[in-house]
Structures are given as structure tokens and as C-alpha cells.
């Protein structure tokens, strides 16, 4: 694929339900990032993967949020017991980490609406 | 942690005029400063970036300047066109640590009036 792919593009769920968001990075990119963008706001960092490990999880807002990455490729962000304040666009980015100055390329995001 | 402030939050210019967006950062160890453009409903796209070893970088109508002493950097768009209308985000990161995540400003909505 040419770019970062995210699915679903839209997700509507009821408060209290669990959701899974998927990110497929650019082939060969070892670094993967999750960000959250609330309406009219900037992007807020959630978690960073290098390969399958997550050296930085400092942005996860609560223990309801978790993420994993398998095979150094696809990542899944899981939100348990969703709350209305979880409504946002969840963006994934990947980079090659070939050097210090790797550019992050973003996916189109998953728009999550919690009713 | 890093904190990035961005101003103004909205900016309206006439086609052909210049636009300037300013950001300040708090972590003196930050050394990478990208700018992203996000059109309505689209993904953020990198338009230009600057590294801490240079003070200015130019790419056609877009330029970015960095003042490490004052910890601020700016985006300059000259000869603005209607297609420049979008939200622009500045960001900062430390590229030489295990935390490569970007800290973003809150965004500037640029409107170019034809």
C-alpha cells in the first residue's frame, strides 16, 4: 500500500462498549504512533511503538486504553468501556526510523463517536 | 514534558498576501520542528520541517525560521492562494531519545480570501 491505512474510518458505539481501531503502517516502517484529535483541537500523543515494543506509553489517558503491535506491522488500539469523552478522531502515523530525522506519515484516521 | 504554543488560532488573508504563524516550545532539548497542513476531513500532511542545526529553510512559497535561543519557530507562506486554506499545525520533538513522538500546537486555521 502507498500510505498508512486505518480502519474503520468511522465508528459509532454506545457508552460502555469496547472498540478496536486498526492501523496498517507503510511497509517497512518500524516506528508507529497513535495520536488523538478532539474536535477543533491539536493532536495529542497516545503511544509510540518501535517494532513490537512500546518504549513510550505516556500519552494513554487511562487504563481503559491499550495498544499492541504484532509482526512489526499492524497495530490495534483498544478502548474498553468507552466514555463520551473518548469521542475523537484517532490518528495513526508511521516512520522509517532510518535515522534521527524520520518523517511521520499519517493515516486518514478513525472517527469515533460514543453515544 | 514539552509544551508547544501556537498563534494565531485563526488567520484570514487576501489572496497574494503573506501569512505568518508562530510557535514557541518549552523543552530546550527539542531538535526537530515539522509543520503539517490539514485540510477539512483529511489527514495531516507534512509541508516543511526544520532541524535544530539550521536557522531557516525554504521550499518555494513556504519558509520556516527557527530561533533556538528564544525557543520559537515560524511558518511563512508568501503569495497565498485559496488552496492554502487549511489548518496548520506546528510540532516539536526530541529525535535523539526513545521518545520520538511529536508534541503539537493547537493549530491555526488559515483562510485565504480570493
Amino acid at each position: 500500500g502507498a500510505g498508512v491505512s486505518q480502519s474503520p474510518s468511522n465508528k459509532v458505539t454506545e457508552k460502555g462498549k469496547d472498540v478496536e481501531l486498526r492501523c496498517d503502517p507503510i511497509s517497512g516502517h518500524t516506528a508507529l504512533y497513535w495520536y488523538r484529535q478532539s474536535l477543533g483541537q491539536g493532536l495529542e500523543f497516545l503511544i509510540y511503538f518501535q517494532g513490537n515494543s512500546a518504549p513510550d506509553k505516556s500519552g494513554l489517558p487511562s487504563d481503559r486504553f491499550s495498544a499492541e503491535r504484532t509482526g512489526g506491522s499492524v497495530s490495534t488500539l483498544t478502548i474498553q468501556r468507552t466514555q463520551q469523552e473518548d469521542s475523537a478522531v484517532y490518528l495513526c502515523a508511521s516512520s522509517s526510523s532510518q535515522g534521527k530525522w524520520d518523517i511521520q506519515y499519517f493515516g486518514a484516521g478513525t472517527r469515533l463517536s460514543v453515544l | 514534558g514539552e509544551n508547544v504554543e501556537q498563534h494565531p488560532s485563526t488567520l484570514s488573508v487576501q489572496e497574494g498576501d503573506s501569512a505568518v504563524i508562530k510557535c514557541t516550545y518549552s523543552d530546550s532539548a527539542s531538535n526537530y520542528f515539522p509543520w503539517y497542513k490539514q485540510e477539512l476531513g483529511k489527514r495531516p500532511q507534512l509541508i516543511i520541517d526544520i532541524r535544530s542545526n539550521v536557522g531557516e529553510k525554504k521550499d518555494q512559497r513556504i519558509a520556516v525560521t527557527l530561533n533556538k535561543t528564544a525557543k520559537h519557530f515560524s511558518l511563512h507562506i508568501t503569495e497565498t492562494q485559496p488552496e492554502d486554506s487549511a489548518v496548520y499545525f506546528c510540532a516539536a520533538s526530541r529525535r535523539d531519545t526513545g521518545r520520538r513522538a511529536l508534541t503539537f500546537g493547537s493549530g491555526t486555521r488559515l483562510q485565504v480570501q480570493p
Side-chain angles (χ1 to χ4, degrees):
Chain A
V4 179
S5 178
Q6 291 188 245
S7 61
S9 54
N10 283 283
K11 176 72 178 177
V12 180
T13 191
E14 292 178 354
K15 179 181 169 182
K17 301 272 190 179
D18 298 351
V19 295
E20 282 190 356
L21 312 180
R22 176 188 166 108
C23 173
D24 209 331
I26 292 172
S27 178
H29 279 192
T30 57
L32 186 148
Y33 307 79
W34 284 98
Y35 295 88
R36 178 168 72 172
Q37 186 173 30
S38 300
L39 188 64
Q41 301 296 311
L43 286 76
E44 172 193 7
F45 166 72
L46 297 177
I47 187 169
Y48 155 55
F49 286 93
Q50 182 61 45
N52 290 336
S53 63
D56 189 353
K57 306 179 185 179
S58 63
L60 294 178
S62 76
D63 58 8
R64 295 186 297 105
F65 288 72
S66 63
E68 65 174 15
R69 190 178 185 197
T70 54
S73 181
V74 172
S75 176
T76 303
L77 177 70
T78 301
I79 309 173
Q80 296 179 308
R81 305 181 301 282
T82 51
Q83 303 294 312
Q84 288 184 331
E85 60 262 29
D86 299 334
S87 297
V89 176
Y90 289 81
L91 289 158
C92 174
S94 72
S95 67
S96 67
S97 291
Q98 289 298 317
K100 272 168 89 167
W101 314 111
D102 48 307
I103 295 168
Q104 292 186 28
Y105 296 91
F106 282 84
T110 293
R111 181 175 298 277
L112 175 66
S113 299
V114 182
L115 305 180
Chain B
E2 175 66 278
N3 183 51
V4 177
E5 301 280 343
Q6 183 172 348
H7 300 281
S9 56
T10 60
L11 180 59
S12 182
V13 300
Q14 290 294 124
E15 182 177 358
D17 287 351
S18 295
V20 180
I21 303 170
K22 299 183 179 182
C23 290
T24 60
Y25 61 98
S26 61
D27 186 353
S28 57
S30 287
N31 52 15
Y32 176 63
F33 308 92
W35 286 87
Y36 283 83
K37 175 183 180 182
Q38 188 176 30
E39 296 178 46
L40 192 61
K42 301 282 182 65
R43 70 190 72 196
Q45 294 203 305
L46 180 77
I47 55 170
I48 196 167
D49 58 12
I50 191 166
R51 293 139 196 194
S52 59
N53 56 344
V54 298
E56 184 173 357
K57 183 176 178 181
K58 214 172 174 182
D59 183 4
Q60 299 182 349
R61 295 186 297 109
I62 293 173
V64 58
T65 58
L66 170 65
N67 183 327
K68 286 174 60 180
T69 304
K71 290 190 282 188
H72 69 69
F73 57 113
S74 300
L75 177 72
H76 303 252
I77 306 174
T78 58
E79 299 170 30
T80 52
Q81 300 166 3
E83 52 264 39
D84 294 330
S85 296
V87 179
Y88 292 80
F89 293 97
C90 63
S93 75
R94 299 173 61 168
R95 307 303 275 170
D96 53 357
T97 68
R99 186 182 194 277
R100 295 183 164 212
L102 296 168
T103 300
F104 284 86
S106 54
T108 296
R109 183 173 300 279
L110 174 65
Q111 186 128 25
V112 180
Q113 308 286 352

